[in-house]
Amino acid sequence: MAQDKNPPTLPIPEDKKERFEKIKAKFIEIYGEEPKFFSRAPGRVNLIGEHIDYCGYSVLPMAVELDIIMAVSPDTQGQISLVNTDPQYQSYNVDVNQIVITKDVPHWYKYVLCGIQGIKEHFQSDTLRGFKAVVDGTVPRSAGLSSSSALVCCSALSMLKANEWTMSKEQLAEVCAKCERFIGTEGGGMDQAISLTAVAGKAKLIEFNPLRTQDVLLPPNAAFVVGNSLAEMNKAATPQFNTRVVECRLAAQVLATSQEGVKWREIRRLGELQEKLVYTLDEMLNLVTSKLHPEPYTKQEVCEILEVTPEELVETSLSANTTHVDSFSLYNRATHVYSEAKRVVQFKAICDQQPGNALEQLGELMNQSHASCRDMYDCSHPDLDTLVEVSKANGAVGSRMTGAGWGGCTVSIVNAEKVSSLLAGVKAGYYQPNPDKFSKVDEALFATTPGGGAAFYIA
Ligand code: ADP
Ligand code: MG
């Protein structure tokens, strides 16, 4: 299991040399010295298991080639200096001992500070080095491929190596999952875990508490196409994401009040409730149907059931940017979570058994996942729904929104022989009718294979 050993240091791959050289040149131009090392952390595409990591359930993502790379040089004076190759992001400097991460505006550098702060708090050292860095990212932002976690993980790696400390990938993943919450999003741990532990050529089943990962071998005829709908939403700047986290918590707590011997105050996740009751996922789905009503709950109703005042509810169940939320769809959210958790188990079993029609079975699960995200979790977007339909009409065996939703990307499963026709069909059917979207199609639509995980590279 977890060994006290850093992610690997690798040679720069031939096809990436030009990009690394450019980042290095920028570093020399800015700081007047050569970087000492590079850190890299990839984004990811979640194949199935949406919005359930923070409920304690396993998910099944793979890393993508798109990534964040940082050229880094340690700073023994304890200064952090950050420059981004994208001019829309302003440079930022701070003393490593003076870091404050406020949850108001999610400026880009705060994600970097999250990674630094996470490592700092883990090691609790009196002597700290800072670092100078040039940051370069290719993961589309707020598009569901987890650019935020790639940035947090890459930053944590840089801080780790600048201070010559060591940590296993699994430990790093736990630290990065926790520290990304400093920015205000109450995420689970999937994004950081896959970015740090991915293995090229394989998807991963990621289980939580404690974090464990298992390689998943996809059927040999399966290929994946990612399409960015080009509708964007920052998860830390809007309350939708945290509202879903809170609805799941409240669903678990309200369900707990119906169960003898379960103290609702000790329950924070739908997964914890299942564990406590020792029920199957089907039994949990029946419990939701019998104990919750499909109409949304008002805050007052929730307070009456839990026997708390609205002020107490903030303490027991709500989060920073959800105190004003007044309506909670407990039935729909819990139904999505338990059924999606079941689909992950089924997806993994199909990959393990590889029946002749594996592709079709996996596609069907992905289609069901999309319908559940759209109808029960209310986290899709009309553009995502259109993109899913266009993909299915052009040869995708299954297609779904991926990542938090409300915009961002879809992932489609397709027979490897039909990738080109799917790409052409989606280009014509989804992007071409919209000139703005069409101008971005080359970056927005691509086939992807499972990429490798985070690593250091010698400068
Ligand atoms: P995602 O689904 O991509 O993780 P989030 O809304 O969680 O979306 O995070 C997106 C934010 O991450 C951006 O608004 C930006 O602040 C930050 N970010 C991502 N990539 C970069 C980058 N290359 N450079 C600077 N900031 C980045
Ligand atoms: Mg994110």
Side-chain angles (χ1 to χ4, degrees):
M1 239 334 276
Q3 289 155 13
D4 213 14
K5 196 161 149 272
N6 275 352
T9 300
L10 304 173
I12 297 170
E14 208 49 50
D15 61 336
K16 290 223 166 71
K17 281 208 165 129
E18 201 182 316
R19 174 153 163 241
F20 276 83
E21 279 306 317
K22 266 197 191 156
I23 303 170
K24 183 173 177 174
K26 180 88 180 170
F27 190 99
I28 295 168
E29 178 197 320
I30 307 270
Y31 299 115
E33 64 179 67
E34 296 215 344
K36 294 287 183 297
F37 63 91
F38 293 100
S39 323
R40 170 186 183 270
R44 59 100 187 93
V45 56
N46 190 21
L47 299 180
I48 198 147
E50 215 57 82
H51 282 283
I52 62 171
D53 59 343
Y54 52 76
C55 298
Y57 286 107
S58 309
V59 293
L60 209 151
M62 66 188 202
V64 291
E65 277 296 314
L66 305 168
D67 59 17
I68 304 277
I69 293 176
M70 289 170 78
V72 186
S73 178
D75 185 318
T76 49
Q77 304 300 307
Q79 279 299 305
I80 299 287
S81 312
L82 305 172
V83 172
N84 201 301
T85 54
D86 182 338
Q88 74 166 299
Y89 298 115
Q90 282 189 1
S91 301
Y92 185 78
N93 301 298
V94 67
D95 188 299
V96 72
N97 290 302
Q98 312 275 321
I99 291 174
V100 181
I101 308 166
T102 52
K103 292 184 180 170
D104 45 6
V105 185
H107 294 295
W108 79 275
Y109 59 80
K110 291 188 188 171
Y111 294 89
V112 182
L113 298 183
C114 284
I116 296 169
Q117 191 70 8
I119 296 294
K120 239 178 82 177
E121 290 185 4
H122 181 82
F123 284 93
Q124 300 277 332
S125 170
D126 292 335
T127 47
L128 287 175
R129 289 188 191 162
F131 59 81
K132 302 182 182 78
V134 167
V135 180
D136 183 70
T138 56
V139 191
R141 284 126 230 194
S142 296
L145 302 184
S146 211
S147 65
S148 64
S149 304
L151 187 51
V152 171
C153 292
C154 193
S155 164
L157 286 180
S158 302
M159 182 66 181
L160 187 70
K161 194 165 176 77
N163 283 281
E164 293 170 23
W165 292 327
T166 52
M167 252 173 121
S168 71
K169 294 176 197 175
E170 288 78 10
Q171 284 176 314
L172 265 167
E174 307 237 37
V175 164
C176 289
K178 249 198 265 165
C179 70
E180 188 166 340
R181 295 187 196 123
F182 297 151
I183 206 149
T185 36
E186 301 254 321
M190 157 171 58
D191 307 345
Q192 301 83 1
I194 187 68
S195 183
L196 287 156
T197 70
V199 175
K202 293 184 177 135
K204 285 255 186 194
L205 179 77
I206 297 183
E207 299 171 271
F208 302 99
N209 312 312
L211 182 73
R212 284 147 294 156
T213 71
Q214 277 181 59
D215 291 344
V216 175
L217 206 52
L218 297 159
N221 61 342
F224 293 90
V225 166
V226 172
N228 189 345
S229 69
L230 298 169
E232 256 182 45
M233 189 192 75
N234 180 291
K235 264 71 77 186
T238 43
Q240 277 96 322
F241 184 86
N242 283 356
T243 302
R244 292 296 175 276
V245 179
V246 160
E247 285 175 309
C248 288
R249 187 174 301 142
L250 288 176
Q253 293 175 333
V254 167
L255 280 173
T257 61
S258 72
Q259 300 302 300
E260 284 289 326
V262 182
K263 296 190 178 113
W264 71 263
R265 285 173 193 271
E266 290 173 6
I267 301 288
R268 290 185 70 76
R269 296 159 185 251
L270 286 161
E272 285 168 10
L273 184 64
Q274 187 197 0
E275 236 168 65
K276 195 104 189 166
L277 299 176
V278 203
Y279 277 7
T280 64
L281 286 165
D282 281 325
E283 286 169 330
M284 292 313 291
L285 284 163
N286 288 337
L287 190 70
V288 171
T289 318
S290 61
K291 301 291 182 192
L292 299 179
H293 57 68
E295 304 75 33
Y297 288 64
T298 63
K299 186 182 271 181
Q300 190 189 346
E301 189 181 1
V302 169
C303 286
E304 279 164 16
I305 295 169
L306 299 180
E307 299 177 350
V308 292
T309 63
E311 293 71 34
E312 282 171 313
L313 191 72
V314 173
E315 294 299 313
T316 60
S317 315
L318 305 185
S319 60
N321 64 347
T322 55
T323 52
H324 67 285
V325 180
D326 195 34
S327 173
F328 306 97
S329 292
L330 306 188
Y331 179 103
N332 287 2
R333 310 309 182 228
T335 301
H336 166 77
V337 169
Y338 291 131
S339 66
E340 185 77 356
K342 205 175 139 185
R343 284 186 284 274
V344 172
V345 175
Q346 292 168 328
F347 196 101
K348 168 76 167 43
I350 294 164
C351 290
D352 288 346
Q353 293 154 9
Q354 303 265 340
N357 65 347
L359 203 64
E360 289 69 28
Q361 288 195 41
L362 297 178
E364 177 52 28
L365 289 172
M366 289 170 69
N367 290 336
Q368 288 173 12
S369 170
H370 183 73
S372 183
C373 285
R374 182 190 61 210
D375 302 334
M376 301 310 265
Y377 221 69
D378 204 9
C379 64
S380 189
H381 183 285
D383 290 1
L384 283 170
D385 297 339
T386 305
L387 188 47
V388 158
E389 291 313 317
V390 172
S391 302
K392 288 199 280 190
N394 284 283
V397 182
S399 187
R400 58 180 292 273
M401 52 150 278
T402 184
W406 298 287
C409 290
T410 59
V411 57
S412 301
I413 187 168
V414 58
N415 191 307
E417 289 171 359
K418 296 194 177 155
V419 170
S420 323
S421 63
L422 174 60
L423 289 170
V426 173
K427 188 172 175 176
Y430 180 79
Y431 294 93
Q432 204 156 5
N434 180 322
D436 187 42
K437 290 193 196 293
F438 195 51
S439 68
K440 298 175 186 146
V441 67
D442 290 343
E443 287 150 52
L445 181 67
F446 54 92
T448 185
T449 50
F456 297 109
Y457 296 83
I458 303 155

